[in-house]
């Protein structure tokens, strides 16, 4: 068996190099029969078929067929390994991202909806979301979570990431249908569901790589915990206030003692406003800030008498609460948690949908009805002004800012076609252009 497997792997590689697609398909089937429980066979060869072999064809229909071959190969592997989350995750990823992010995604998504062989008994209804590639991928990711929670652990990927995949697929679905021209209640409901699922994701208890310094046990977090009324920062502030109340003014006294021990250059760097510091002064000031900082434990150690045990306990609790808030921040940054939460909130606003519809119509009409296109650009950009005023945090998001600059550039290009290369003096998104546009534009 081992010799046969090695020969077949070589045969598969040879068929790929020679572009013998019939031979490759036959070889993969033989490999699957010989190593049905070897997960890496299914993973590697499915990727090879969907990602490598598919690009060898000129016709997008042929490329699509090979992408589907890879997904079906994973399906077959899942049949032999029903309790292996990795294969189900791969199926979700291929179905969502390989079809929904490809250069040919418009054609791929259409072919996927029309693919009766893939969808088996599902009725052919192009408005039916059950045939959408993102939502089919989402079902796979939900299956991964179910297997994991049933005790079949997901290897090679932490819960922070694979719990995120299903709600992100819902977001991608909502984004895709709006990008394709759906601006009715279907789109709003898709974004509402995305917001709900992202909020639910924030409630999941996530295992971290950190350990409780008191017990050595693994720490768990919820991404929403930063925003709850009794969040870790609020707990830390309360512990710190209680600690300082045991010895009023002691922290500042200790700080002043440390400040007095600094060198003249360090004190001068600290006293220089940050905007006026040289690079060397910036480094000196940073080092000086660290030197004069008074830790909670240091403060507690200086408290004498019967309050000392309580002070030490408060110092430990404050430090742990600050660490937990920091851990949540780090994990939220990994999945861009706050951005996607804000995006879901903004996109389910009918005002945002209206703004996107105007821009969609403008882009569509730009080459056939320029006056109407320019009118829609104006309406769309004015609508975006209202969206930004309603959701001011969105203005701080670079992704949104750069997306709007691209729209502005298209609008300005079409203005140039009628001899007006400059934007009007009362242009509503000048602040966006100033902040995210190219210098000199």
């Amino acid at each position: 068996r081992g010799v046969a497997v090695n020969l077949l792997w070589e045969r598969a590689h040879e068929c790929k190099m020679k572009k013998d697609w019939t031979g490759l398909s036959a070889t993969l089937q033989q490999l699957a029969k010989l190593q049905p429980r070897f997960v890496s066979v299914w993973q590697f060869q499915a990727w090879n078929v969907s990602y490598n072999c598919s690009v060898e064809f000129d016709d997008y229909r042929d490329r699509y067929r090979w992408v589907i071959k890879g997904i079906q190969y994973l399906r077959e592997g899942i049949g032999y390994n029903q309790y292996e989350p990795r294969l189900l995750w791969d199926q979700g990823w291929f179905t969502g991202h390989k079809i929904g992010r490809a250069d040919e995604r418009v054609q791929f998504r259409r072919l996927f909806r029309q693919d009766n062989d893939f969808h088996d008994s599902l009725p052919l209804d192009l408005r039916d979301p059950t045939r959408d590639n993102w939502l089919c991928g989402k079902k796979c990711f939900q299956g991964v979570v179910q297997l994991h929670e049933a005790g079949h652990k997901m290897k090679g990927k932490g819960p922070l990431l694979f719990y995120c995949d299903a709600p992100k697929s819902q977001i991608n679905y909502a984004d895709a249908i709006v990008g394709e021209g759906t601006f009715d209640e279907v789109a709003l409901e898709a974004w509402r569901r995305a917001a709900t699922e992202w909020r639910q994701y924030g409630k999941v208890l996530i295992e971290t790589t950190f350990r409780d310094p008191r017990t050595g046990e693994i720490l768990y977090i919820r991404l929403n915990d930063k925003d709850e009324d009794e969040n870790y920062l609020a707990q830390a502030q309360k512990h710190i206030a209680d600690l300082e109340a045991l010895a009023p003014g002691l922290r500042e006294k200790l700080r002043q003692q440390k400040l007095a021990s600094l060198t003249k250059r360090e004190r001068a760097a600290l006293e220089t406003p940050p905007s006026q510091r040289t690079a060397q002064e910036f480094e000196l000031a940073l080092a000086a800030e660290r030197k004069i900082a008074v830790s909670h434990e240091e403060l507690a150690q200086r408290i004498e008498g019967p309050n000392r045990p309580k002070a030490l306990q408060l110092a430990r609790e404050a430090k742990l609460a600050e660490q937990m808030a920091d851990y949540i921040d780090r994990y939220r940054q990994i999945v861009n948690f706050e951005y996607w939460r804000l995006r879901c909130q903004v996109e389910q606003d009918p005002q945002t949908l209206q703004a996107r519809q105007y821009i969609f119509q403008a882009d569509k009409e730009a080459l056939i009805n320029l006056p109407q296109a320019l009118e829609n650009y104006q309406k769309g950009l004015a609508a975006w002004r209202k969206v930004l005023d309603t959701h001011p945090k969105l203005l701080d998001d670079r992704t949104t800012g750069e997306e709007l600059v691209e729209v502005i550039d298209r609008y300005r290009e079409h203005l140039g076609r009628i001899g007006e290369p400059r934007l009007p003096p009362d242009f509503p998104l000048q602040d966006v252009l100033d902040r995210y546009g190219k210098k000199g534009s």
Side-chain angles (χ1 to χ4, degrees):
R1 182 186 295 266
V3 173
V5 165
N6 285 332
L7 290 172
L8 286 172
W9 277 82
E10 290 295 330
R11 168 73 174 154
H13 179 69
E14 181 182 345
C15 288
K16 180 195 166 190
M17 292 297 102
K18 292 181 177 180
K19 301 184 180 181
D20 176 7
W21 310 120
T22 302
L24 177 61
S25 294
T27 305
L28 293 181
Q29 290 302 319
Q30 289 173 311
L31 267 171
K33 298 296 184 184
L34 283 174
Q35 293 184 302
R37 309 292 182 189
F38 188 25
V39 172
S40 295
V41 170
W42 301 102
Q43 287 186 299
F44 178 82
Q45 295 296 9
W47 181 277
N48 197 22
V49 170
S50 285
Y51 282 81
N52 297 331
C53 297
S54 64
V55 299
E56 298 291 337
F57 294 87
D58 295 326
D59 191 313
Y60 70 85
R61 287 175 286 262
D62 291 326
R63 291 197 292 273
Y64 169 78
R65 279 194 288 272
W66 279 87
V67 170
I68 292 298
K69 276 181 181 289
I71 296 173
Q72 289 173 331
Y73 193 71
L74 284 170
R75 278 179 160 183
E76 186 178 349
I78 291 169
Y80 287 104
N81 303 272
Q82 296 179 8
Y83 303 112
E84 177 49 70
R86 286 176 291 174
L87 292 179
L88 194 55
W89 188 91
D90 283 346
Q91 183 184 341
W93 183 266
F94 286 26
T95 307
H97 287 77
K98 182 55 183 172
I99 293 173
R101 291 279 185 253
D103 293 339
E104 317 90 331
R105 58 185 171 274
V106 174
Q107 294 90 347
F108 277 12
R109 279 173 51 76
R110 173 173 53 80
L111 288 172
F112 186 80
R113 287 192 294 268
Q114 296 172 347
D115 194 336
N116 291 326
D117 291 334
F118 185 88
H119 295 293
D120 298 326
S121 60
L122 283 177
L124 178 56
D125 179 357
L126 300 187
R127 292 276 292 177
D128 183 0
T130 56
R131 279 183 174 245
D132 189 276
N133 69 292
W134 288 114
L135 296 187
C136 287
K138 174 183 168 182
K139 288 181 180 179
C140 295
F141 293 136
Q142 289 171 332
V144 169
V145 170
Q146 290 170 0
L147 283 173
H148 177 80
E149 292 180 347
H152 309 288
K153 300 303 181 183
M154 176 70 173
K155 298 176 183 177
K157 188 178 290 289
L160 175 72
L161 298 179
F162 67 76
Y163 272 93
C164 169
D165 290 318
K168 274 296 296 295
S169 293
Q170 178 65 36
I171 291 172
N172 290 330
Y173 162 69
D175 189 41
I177 63 173
V178 170
E180 293 166 350
T182 299
F183 301 104
D184 54 15
E185 183 62 27
V186 172
L188 288 174
E189 178 56 31
W191 279 112
R192 291 189 199 108
R193 182 178 290 274
T196 299
E197 293 182 6
W198 196 251
R199 191 161 51 249
Q200 292 298 323
Y201 168 54
K203 295 179 180 180
V204 174
L205 196 62
I206 301 292
E207 179 182 334
T208 73
T209 58
F210 306 107
R211 292 185 177 273
D212 190 323
R214 301 164 302 182
T215 64
E217 295 179 354
I218 292 174
L219 289 172
Y220 290 79
I221 61 170
R222 291 182 176 88
L223 298 181
N224 282 349
D225 280 353
K226 183 181 177 181
D227 308 305
E228 301 296 333
D229 292 336
E230 294 299 321
N231 62 67
Y232 286 108
L233 282 180
Q235 292 176 29
Q237 289 166 1
K238 183 180 183 305
H239 294 320
I240 293 168
D242 291 344
L243 173 61
E244 293 180 346
L246 296 176
L250 180 57
R251 188 187 289 273
E252 181 57 25
K253 180 181 176 180
L254 295 175
R255 184 179 179 278
Q256 289 300 324
Q257 290 174 358
K258 292 186 174 190
L259 188 61
S261 68
L262 295 178
T263 66
K264 289 182 179 180
R265 291 181 63 209
E266 288 173 330
R267 283 199 298 271
L270 271 180
E271 292 167 1
T272 303
S275 60
Q276 299 175 19
R277 291 172 185 165
T278 64
Q280 186 179 23
E281 287 173 333
F282 182 83
E283 290 181 8
L284 279 171
L286 193 62
E289 287 286 1
R290 286 197 292 264
K291 287 182 180 180
I292 67 175
V294 179
S295 70
H296 306 319
E297 185 178 2
E298 188 177 359
L299 175 60
Q301 291 285 358
R302 296 294 294 271
I303 295 176
E304 303 293 340
N307 285 333
R308 183 183 176 86
K310 182 179 180 182
L312 292 171
Q313 179 65 22
L314 286 170
R316 287 192 292 270
E317 294 295 339
K319 182 180 179 180
L320 180 60
E322 287 177 334
Q323 286 177 333
M324 290 298 289
D326 179 58
Y327 297 156
I328 291 173
D329 266 338
R330 294 190 204 180
Y331 274 60
R332 284 166 73 132
Q333 289 170 14
I334 291 172
V335 295
N336 218 354
F337 184 79
E338 292 184 35
Y339 166 76
W340 291 115
R341 183 176 59 184
L342 177 61
R343 178 81 186 276
C344 290
Q345 176 188 352
V346 172
E347 295 290 350
Q348 61 180 304
D349 185 339
Q351 197 167 236
T352 308
L353 205 61
Q354 181 70 76
R356 291 199 180 279
Q357 185 171 11
Y358 280 132
I359 300 301
F360 180 87
Q361 291 296 334
D363 289 338
K364 192 175 179 180
E365 294 165 342
L367 297 179
I368 56 175
N369 189 348
L370 185 56
Q372 185 62 52
L374 291 175
E375 181 181 343
N376 281 326
Y377 276 124
Q378 292 162 4
K379 290 180 178 179
L381 294 170
W384 268 112
R385 176 73 271 159
K386 293 179 181 178
V387 171
L388 294 175
D389 290 342
T390 304
H391 307 278
K393 287 185 179 180
L394 197 61
L395 190 57
D396 295 328
D397 175 57
R398 175 167 291 277
T399 302
T400 302
E402 291 177 350
E403 177 190 343
L404 288 174
V405 168
E406 290 178 4
V407 175
I408 294 168
D409 286 343
R410 295 199 298 273
Y411 172 50
R412 186 158 41 190
E413 178 185 344
H414 295 310
L415 280 176
R417 292 169 57 195
I418 61 171
E420 295 182 15
R422 295 185 179 277
L423 296 170
D426 59 346
F427 183 63
L429 296 182
Q430 188 60 48
D431 56 338
V432 175
L433 197 57
D434 292 340
R435 187 167 180 177
Y436 297 107
K438 296 178 182 177
K439 292 182 178 179
S441 63

